[in-house]
Amino acid sequence: MKLIHFFFLSIFSLSAFSSNDVLKYVNSFIGTTNFGTTNPGAVCPNGLMSVSPFNVMGSADNHYDKDARWWSTPYDNTNSYFTGFSHVNLSGVGCPDLSSLLLMPTCGDLDVDFHHYGSKYKDEAASPGYYTTYLTKYNILCEATATLRSSITRFTFPKGKSHILLNLGEGLTNESGSYVRKVGNNEIEGMKLLGTFCYSPQAVFPLYFVMRVNKIQGSIESGYWKKQRKMEGVKAEWDKDHGKNKLYTNYSKDIAGDDIGVYFNFETTQGEEVNVQIGVSFVSIANARENLEAEQPKCDFNATRSKAEELWRNDLSKIEVKGGTEAQKTVFYTALYHALIHPNILEDVNGQYPKMESNEIGTVKGNRYTVFSLWDTYRNLHQLLTLVYPERQMQMLKSMIGMSEEHGWLPKWELYGRETLTMEGDPSIPVIVDSWLKGLRDFDVDKVYKTMWHSATAAGSENLMRPDNDDYLKLGYVPLREHFDNSVSHALEYYIADYSLSVLADSLGYHKQAEQLRRQSLQYKKYYDKEYGMLRPLLPDGKFLTPFDPNQGANFEPCPGFHEGSAWNYTFYVPHDIAGLTKLMGGKKNFVNKLQHVFDAKLYDPSNEPDIAYPYLFSYFPDEAWRTQILIPQLLERYYTTKPDGIPGNDDAGTMSAWAIFSMMGFYPDCPGTPMYTMTVPTFDEVCIHLDPRWYKHKELRIETNRPKGDIPAIIKKCQIGNKTLRGYRISHKDLINSGTIKIDCTSKRP
């Protein structure tokens, strides 16, 4: 579908972007197909509320349908049938949930069946904090924007009978059930049950909402609908609506059910605008109303949009780049945009939030964050936030620690106060350790250390983070006990967590525990099979799994011992001991050749986390670092583009985007939980990161690159860090932030 920047052409646009406005470099349609699972809807940075076009149900013309396959996004760019705006959406995740409160404008006779009331659309456009499209079936212009906890949509209707529908029965969540009550003909309030994320049947939670229809002229008539159960025999004769959507035209009290909705009828004049405001809360209806009234004291679409744009402009401008192409700037700033969606705030304007795995309500000073997709984001996203948005990362750390105080465990994959236990490992540990080592220390580290130590040592039967800890602690590895039990993947994650915790233990003076953890982190060597030169699943008796196919697991094929990947995707995933792995493989030459084979044979998977740091591992050997510096631009060009499929698969709550951001800036945190980066050639001639003076003593970090002219691969010749020349290609966080200016001179000659 051709993307038209409608706001440049329309009288509804507030203003055209200035030539230097960073917002013009965000294309929020990037990642909206190829299973990137982002959406082009309106959201504020790390905001609770988001408003997305919903086009994944109701028509055979759609390429992807949420009810025909496993589907985890409200929008796909290849689809063409719009059935409303969904509210409170997830970005870049692999399991379906949320994306409910479907709001749809229609004209003509009232029809509440989404198979019928949906519409084709054109003139679709989006920018940070704003989305618009035109429904061709009805000639309705639709626009949406958002605050942190509320939304406002503006519908411009033709003349005639018009309607606004709120469908509470559909969405992406696997849960069902909702209720709603009228507050007046133009206002409703209610609750929608959400959850069951990634096979977690008990991880459910309520979303409370208040909705207002603001029509200046004329009256509004409202009512309900509910899908009636199918009846047989005599009962079917008594109820002509059985199996159908029943309209409740003379009933105005509360209503509840699995498939219910609310309709608003009114007459409109040609070009009449009708605004709909929605406030949400995960605490109560009263809080949803308070959020709406606090953040939208007036029903003013343009003012709300302007505030959303200003929030994005401030956040995106924390990093400035010069040089590079327009397309590269678009890839960069769109990636930064996607990296600032999750985790998002959970608390209401009064500070209240649902406590972790509890029926209690807590109150927080500052922000309480949610949507911690930590198996993904512990690898690079939180390192990005620590560097560029440290105050936000500190609030996220406090949120994670608060969850452990309420629940007894740090989060693994937390979603709106519920632990989904999705994926494996103990991913909070490297996040907290990494941030603490980089100076974010506004918490009781000894208390948190005890929580992490308990997680590392508790018996598997009572350990939410490490359910196979008995085997791990006794044998030094996790054996394959079931055919597809992801045993090697589990253990590799534990090794990384233990190494991170060992570094923290040493820093705190717990030297014996540090040594124990360090020894445990090196037990990955048990998996190394000299025959294949790879990590190979082990059985309980210590023997290797036979037969063994190191290629099995590609393209998310089920694979013994490995989760969402093959042995090739995991063998080099011991970033805390590259020297030890190199020795196992017989030295540098064998290590480098085997790693190069991953890329030459197209075994590298840029869309899955375990191997995304592989390109940087060459740089552990200074005379081989040129491979990293040539490979990174190639991977960026191949997998990150300005097209809707311009992310290499699932964005994983911003993880894939964070990889691109770091790689384009010229350095990458390839070992989680370690305050080090590996340098490479930046995409841009100049990168300026504006550092937060509350956390860092320098106001900015500037990276200047002098590269060969022409389309020639650039290789680092010299890297000047402040007044010192960098030896090798690894730089500490301390040296990075205190350097002031990093000057990189490049050549086209390989060593």
Side-chain angles (χ1 to χ4, degrees):
M1 180 178 296
K2 185 178 180 181
L3 307 181
I4 301 174
H5 290 290
F6 189 76
F7 42 84
F8 283 128
L9 308 176
S10 169
I11 60 172
F12 301 99
S13 172
L14 289 176
S15 63
F17 291 130
S18 63
S19 60
N20 60 349
D21 192 335
V22 70
L23 298 189
K24 75 176 182 177
Y25 290 117
V26 175
N27 179 351
S28 49
F29 290 96
I30 294 175
T32 58
T33 191
N34 189 37
F35 301 96
T37 69
T38 65
N39 70 74
V43 63
C44 290
N46 302 104
L48 174 62
M49 173 61 89
S50 60
V51 192
S52 172
F54 198 90
N55 72 350
V56 292
M57 71 177 189
S59 174
D61 292 337
N62 280 343
H63 188 60
Y64 297 107
D65 188 282
K66 73 179 185 69
D67 296 321
R69 58 168 300 148
W70 185 260
W71 195 251
S72 60
T73 176
Y75 176 93
D76 187 88
N77 188 259
T78 64
N79 283 356
S80 58
Y81 192 70
F82 180 93
T83 50
F85 285 108
S86 58
H87 294 75
V88 187
N89 302 277
L90 296 174
S91 176
V93 301
C95 290
D97 208 348
L98 283 74
S99 294
S100 62
L101 309 184
L102 299 185
L103 185 68
M104 180 71 186
T106 67
C107 295
D109 294 334
L110 178 65
D111 189 336
V112 297
D113 186 335
F114 66 83
H115 295 92
H116 304 154
Y117 68 59
S119 173
K120 300 282 189 177
Y121 51 94
K122 67 176 183 178
D123 296 344
E124 188 181 26
S127 61
Y130 177 77
Y131 172 87
T132 182
T133 194
Y134 188 85
L135 305 185
T136 57
K137 180 177 180 178
Y138 303 113
N139 294 319
I140 298 175
L141 175 66
C142 304
E143 299 171 277
T145 189
T147 70
L148 289 172
R149 303 170 183 86
S150 71
S151 68
I152 179 170
T153 46
R154 179 165 64 187
F155 303 115
T156 304
F157 286 94
K159 181 179 180 180
K161 294 190 295 184
S162 299
H163 320 278
I164 287 175
L165 313 177
L166 182 68
N167 189 328
L168 294 170
E170 294 295 333
L172 289 187
T173 182
N174 291 315
E175 267 302 324
S176 61
S178 56
Y179 73 79
V180 67
R181 68 168 62 94
K182 287 186 182 182
V183 178
N185 277 340
N186 73 323
E187 182 174 332
I188 58 173
E189 61 185 23
M191 182 278 293
K192 168 66 177 172
L193 194 62
L194 304 172
T196 320
F197 180 82
C198 272
Y199 318 108
S200 304
Q202 298 303 315
V204 299
F205 43 89
L207 170 66
Y208 301 97
F209 66 91
V210 170
M211 171 178 154
R212 293 172 180 165
V213 178
N214 295 280
K215 186 178 185 301
I216 297 175
Q217 300 175 348
S219 60
I220 298 176
E221 172 190 87
S222 60
Y224 304 128
W225 80 80
K226 183 171 71 170
K227 182 70 174 290
Q228 302 297 99
R229 66 182 185 273
K230 184 73 174 178
M231 297 181 183
E232 296 180 358
V234 177
K235 289 185 177 180
E237 298 177 4
W238 295 346
D239 188 352
K240 65 180 179 62
D241 293 315
H242 78 96
K244 302 177 183 178
N245 288 310
K246 177 181 178 180
L247 295 179
Y248 291 80
T249 58
N250 294 316
Y251 176 79
S252 59
K253 296 183 179 180
D254 302 0
I255 194 169
D258 289 340
D259 291 290
I260 64 173
V262 185
Y263 64 83
F264 299 85
N265 299 334
F266 39 80
E267 291 284 335
T268 52
T269 58
Q270 180 64 38
E272 183 177 354
E273 295 177 357
V274 177
N275 292 308
V276 179
Q277 297 168 289
I278 296 180
V280 294
S281 165
F282 286 85
V283 173
S284 67
I285 290 174
N287 279 15
R289 179 172 283 104
E290 185 177 2
N291 289 340
L292 176 58
E293 292 176 349
E295 295 184 350
Q296 292 192 59
K298 295 181 180 179
C299 182
D300 189 329
F301 184 94
N302 289 345
T304 303
R305 177 186 173 184
S306 292
K307 290 178 182 177
E309 289 178 336
E310 192 60 26
L311 289 174
W312 279 115
R313 188 174 290 109
N314 290 338
D315 272 3
L316 295 173
S317 297
K318 296 293 184 184
I319 306 177
E320 293 183 88
V321 299
K322 294 181 181 179
T325 65
E326 293 294 286
Q328 288 170 331
K329 291 177 182 176
T330 297
V331 168
F332 180 82
Y333 281 111
T334 303
L336 188 57
Y337 167 82
H338 284 143
L340 292 174
I341 294 178
H342 297 309
N344 55 263
I345 62 168
L346 177 60
E347 85 285 351
D348 296 321
V349 292
N350 61 12
Q352 291 185 332
Y353 67 92
K355 286 189 174 182
M356 184 71 174
E357 290 292 334
S358 171
N359 292 325
E360 297 181 4
I361 302 302
T363 303
V364 66
K365 293 182 179 179
N367 289 330
R368 171 75 172 218
Y369 283 89
T370 184
V371 189
F372 283 94
S373 179
L374 289 167
W375 183 85
D376 307 298
T377 59
Y378 88 85
R379 303 162 199 268
N380 56 27
L381 178 70
H382 288 284
Q383 290 88 327
L384 177 67
L385 296 173
T386 296
L387 176 64
V388 187
Y389 311 92
E391 182 63 32
R392 209 164 305 181
Q393 173 67 4
M394 188 67 250
Q395 292 292 315
M396 292 178 188
L397 297 179
K398 289 184 175 180
S399 297
M400 295 164 66
I401 294 166
M403 291 172 193
S404 72
E405 294 171 347
E406 296 161 5
H407 179 222
W409 300 92
L410 287 162
K412 175 178 283 191
W413 211 125
E414 176 273 346
L415 185 70
Y416 291 93
R418 304 307 303 266
E419 178 54 74
T420 70
L421 298 176
T422 301
M423 303 306 291
E424 53 264 315
D426 208 344
S428 286
I429 291 177
V431 171
I432 295 172
V433 172
D434 189 276
S435 297
W436 190 84
L437 292 173
K438 292 174 179 174
L440 275 60
R441 301 186 175 186
D442 188 17
F443 59 91
D444 187 339
V445 67
D446 286 287
K447 184 177 180 181
V448 177
Y449 175 80
K450 291 177 182 177
T451 300
M452 294 190 286
W453 175 257
H454 175 68
S455 179
T457 58
S461 60
E462 60 183 52
N463 198 324
L464 285 184
M465 299 296 105
R466 308 187 187 198
D468 31 27
N469 212 28
D470 294 344
D471 279 334
Y472 176 75
L473 295 176
K474 180 181 179 180
L475 303 174
Y477 66 94
V478 178
L480 187 77
R481 294 190 177 277
E482 298 179 9
H483 191 47
F484 296 126
D485 67 0
N486 307 323
S487 56
V488 185
S489 298
H490 283 215
L492 290 176
E493 296 292 344
Y494 300 163
Y495 296 138
I496 291 170
D498 281 348
Y499 177 78
S500 296
L501 192 54
S502 75
V503 176
L504 180 61
D506 250 344
S507 300
L508 299 177
Y510 302 123
H511 301 302
K512 289 185 178 180
Q513 292 180 355
E515 181 57 29
Q516 175 184 332
L517 291 163
R518 190 174 296 110
R519 285 197 306 269
Q520 287 174 190
S521 76
L522 299 179
Q523 297 277 32
Y524 75 88
K525 298 175 182 180
K526 293 179 179 290
Y527 285 114
Y528 187 76
D529 176 21
K530 292 182 180 179
E531 178 185 354
Y532 285 88
M534 304 182 74
L535 303 186
R536 180 174 177 179
L538 283 165
L539 301 174
D541 61 4
K543 296 180 180 179
F544 286 116
L545 171 70
T546 302
F548 171 60
D549 178 4
N551 294 302
Q552 186 177 354
N555 299 317
F556 297 93
E557 172 194 10
C559 175
F562 299 102
H563 194 175
E564 297 182 355
S566 71
W568 286 106
N569 303 128
Y570 279 92
T571 286
F572 293 89
Y573 192 52
V574 286
H576 58 290
D577 191 34
I578 296 301
L581 182 62
T582 302
K583 186 176 180 180
L584 281 179
M585 289 184 171
K588 181 185 74 172
K589 182 178 180 180
N590 288 347
F591 180 96
V592 170
N593 288 343
K594 200 171 199 70
L595 184 58
Q596 186 65 52
H597 176 73
V598 172
F599 297 97
D600 293 342
K602 298 182 179 180
L603 298 168
Y604 173 69
D605 183 357
S607 66
N608 205 22
E609 277 66 16
D611 66 1
I612 59 175
Y614 279 17
Y616 288 92
L617 301 185
F618 293 110
S619 295
Y620 279 77
F621 314 100
D623 58 341
E624 300 290 351
W626 62 270
R627 298 177 188 267
T628 295
Q629 295 155 24
I630 287 179
L631 191 55
I632 292 298
Q634 293 174 349
L635 296 174
L636 284 167
E637 184 178 7
R638 184 182 310 157
Y639 295 114
Y640 291 86
T641 73
T642 59
K643 298 178 181 179
D645 63 354
I647 297 176
N650 196 314
D651 195 38
D652 286 334
T655 303
M656 296 301 137
S657 290
W659 186 93
I661 295 164
F662 273 120
S663 296
M664 297 179 87
M665 290 195 299
F667 56 99
Y668 189 79
D670 51 84
C671 183
T674 302
M676 298 290 294
Y677 306 91
T678 294
M679 299 293 295
T680 189
V681 179
T683 298
F684 306 103
D685 296 335
E686 186 174 324
V687 176
C688 181
I689 302 173
H690 298 281
L691 299 175
D692 190 333
R694 293 170 294 180
W695 294 96
Y696 301 124
K697 65 179 182 180
H698 289 278
K699 292 183 179 180
E700 64 182 36
L701 165 63
R702 192 174 294 273
I703 303 171
E704 300 173 354
T705 304
N706 180 22
R707 67 188 79 239
K709 294 182 179 180
D711 189 18
I712 303 173
I715 298 170
I716 295 176
K717 179 180 179 181
K718 180 182 178 182
C719 187
Q720 192 79 14
I721 309 295
N723 297 322
K724 299 179 181 179
T725 299
L726 181 67
R727 294 185 177 181
Y729 298 91
R730 303 268 291 160
I731 183 172
S732 70
H733 178 77
K734 182 179 180 181
D735 286 345
L736 183 81
I737 61 171
N738 291 329
S739 61
T741 299
I742 296 176
K743 295 184 177 181
I744 301 175
D745 288 328
C746 295
T747 179
S748 60
K749 296 180 180 180
R750 299 182 183 181

